[in-house]
Amino acid sequence: MSEEKKTNYDVIVIGAGPGGMTAAMYASRADLSVLMLDRGIYGGNLNNTAEIENYTGFKSVQGPDLAKQMYEGATQFGADYAYGAVEKVELIGDEKQVTTDMGETFTAKALVIATGSGQRKLGVPGESEFSGRGISYCAVCDGAFFKGKNLIVVGGGDSAVEEGAFLTQLAAKVTVLVRSDKLRAQPIVQDKAFKNPKMEFVYNTSVTEIVGNEMAVTGVKTVNNQTGETGEIAADGVFIYVGTFPMTEPFKDLGILNEKGWVETDEKMATKVPGIFAVGDVRNTVLRQVATAVGDGAIAGQQVYKYLEG
């Protein structure tokens, strides 16, 4: 007779990125029963990051490698891990009931939301049509398909510039299209990129359409935001990094989101609903980095224990 699957926990952590895994580690180390739920592989956006140079203790570390180490730390004290995209969260008395797209239902006394953020789309003609046929939102995932090719990166922040630099290891040339007159990336990131002979920056430029043939992307149509001049740039692939949005759809009825959809918490990572906490990129916060997510997770893991003890 097979063992019945466990469905009731002290705490459920929704999302297994750096913040969620840290919260799970702290909570399970306090001898709480913990379930980590994630719609994909553990690590979250770490798996889409080639190289991390600003995480304390590492001169440089590959995102997927750090994700593996964090996962091993998160599960060493007995935390369970399961696949499943959360579709609904309901409050039943003091318990929180979580339903996944797999039709599974789990309950817990406390909840930690660590669902992170997703990549925004440009919303221009051709983006949906050529998704997976030359359009990507993840250089680490798809860069190997473009060896020796000419690529376009859309965006001017840290992600756009860092992932553009990563792509130069594979591509013949990377052209970065920036809608304003300067980059938003950190100075150290900019300095490295400007020294890269394979990178070119085009400012005050927006993409109006992504074009291609029956097989794949062939380029983008552009407009100069100052002069109104239109143009077209040939490319074999387009990588888009134009910001993020909160992954909070399952929590919209809980009264814990602000007008833009980010989760509001206090300094203890607690939301307005007793027993529901949030950590990492999903929070309304001034900085979204691995280091801040880990810090959030440590606080939440401890506060969950204090909440349950109280």
Side-chain angles (χ1 to χ4, degrees):
M1 185 175 181
S2 61
E3 185 179 344
E4 186 176 349
K5 185 173 182 178
K6 183 177 174 63
T7 59
N8 186 260
Y9 291 84
D10 291 323
V11 55
I12 295 174
V13 179
I14 304 177
M21 289 192 286
T22 304
M25 179 180 69
Y26 270 74
S28 59
R29 191 169 182 266
D31 204 28
L32 300 178
S33 59
V34 179
L35 171 66
M36 284 190 293
L37 270 175
D38 200 286
R39 61 192 178 90
I41 189 171
Y42 56 80
N45 286 332
L46 283 177
N47 294 303
N48 304 331
T49 306
E51 188 175 20
I52 298 169
E53 296 181 325
N54 59 349
Y55 186 57
T56 305
F58 294 88
K59 183 177 180 181
S60 175
V61 61
Q62 298 292 304
D65 292 340
L66 183 58
K68 183 175 184 294
Q69 293 181 54
M70 286 185 170
Y71 177 75
E72 291 171 351
T75 55
Q76 65 179 314
F77 300 111
D80 291 337
Y81 178 75
Y83 290 103
V86 172
E87 291 192 333
K88 183 170 59 176
V89 174
E90 298 176 277
L91 305 178
I92 303 175
D94 289 335
E95 290 202 326
K96 288 75 182 167
Q97 182 172 284
V98 177
T99 304
T100 75
D101 61 343
M102 308 292 287
E104 295 181 306
T105 299
F106 301 93
T107 58
K109 302 180 184 70
L111 200 67
V112 178
I113 298 171
T115 44
S117 59
Q119 291 287 345
R120 290 194 181 280
K121 295 187 177 181
L122 285 174
V124 299
E127 186 172 15
S128 297
E129 179 183 353
F130 293 106
S131 180
R133 293 195 294 145
I135 294 177
S136 176
Y137 305 86
C138 176
V140 178
C141 310
D142 301 324
F145 297 113
F146 297 93
K147 289 183 178 179
K149 304 293 186 179
N150 293 323
L151 302 178
I152 286 173
V153 170
V154 184
D158 283 344
S159 294
V161 180
E162 288 176 337
E163 300 309 297
F166 168 78
L167 288 169
T168 62
Q169 300 176 48
L170 305 161
K173 180 183 178 182
V174 174
T175 302
V176 182
L177 304 184
V178 187
R179 66 180 179 180
S180 64
D181 60 355
K182 61 183 178 181
L183 297 174
R184 292 179 289 106
Q186 299 175 72
I188 190 172
V189 175
Q190 295 188 39
D191 290 343
K192 290 177 67 175
F194 292 150
K195 294 174 182 175
N196 191 324
K198 287 188 175 183
M199 294 187 79
E200 178 183 345
F201 295 86
V202 180
Y203 299 95
N204 299 308
T205 300
S206 293
V207 173
T208 57
E209 184 179 353
I210 299 172
V211 296
N213 53 36
E214 64 278 3
M215 297 295 293
V217 164
T218 58
V220 299
K221 292 184 178 181
T222 63
V223 61
N224 185 291
N225 298 322
Q226 290 187 330
T227 66
E229 182 181 356
T230 60
E232 186 168 334
I233 302 174
D236 302 296
V238 180
F239 288 77
I240 299 170
Y241 296 94
V242 291
T244 59
F245 65 92
M247 307 283 280
T248 52
E249 180 66 21
F251 320 116
K252 63 182 182 180
D253 296 326
L254 297 178
I256 60 175
L257 309 182
N258 67 12
E259 68 281 358
K260 293 184 178 180
W262 303 98
V263 181
E264 294 279 3
T265 73
D266 61 18
E267 72 279 2
K268 296 180 180 179
M269 305 301 131
T271 69
K272 295 177 182 177
V273 178
I276 298 184
F277 302 80
V279 302
D281 288 8
V282 77
R283 290 180 59 230
N284 180 29
T285 182
V286 296
L287 185 64
R288 293 184 173 91
Q289 295 282 300
V290 177
T292 54
V294 167
D296 290 354
I299 293 171
Q302 279 235 310
Q303 293 302 316
V304 163
Y305 172 76
K306 290 183 178 180
Y307 168 78
L308 295 176
E309 285 293 296

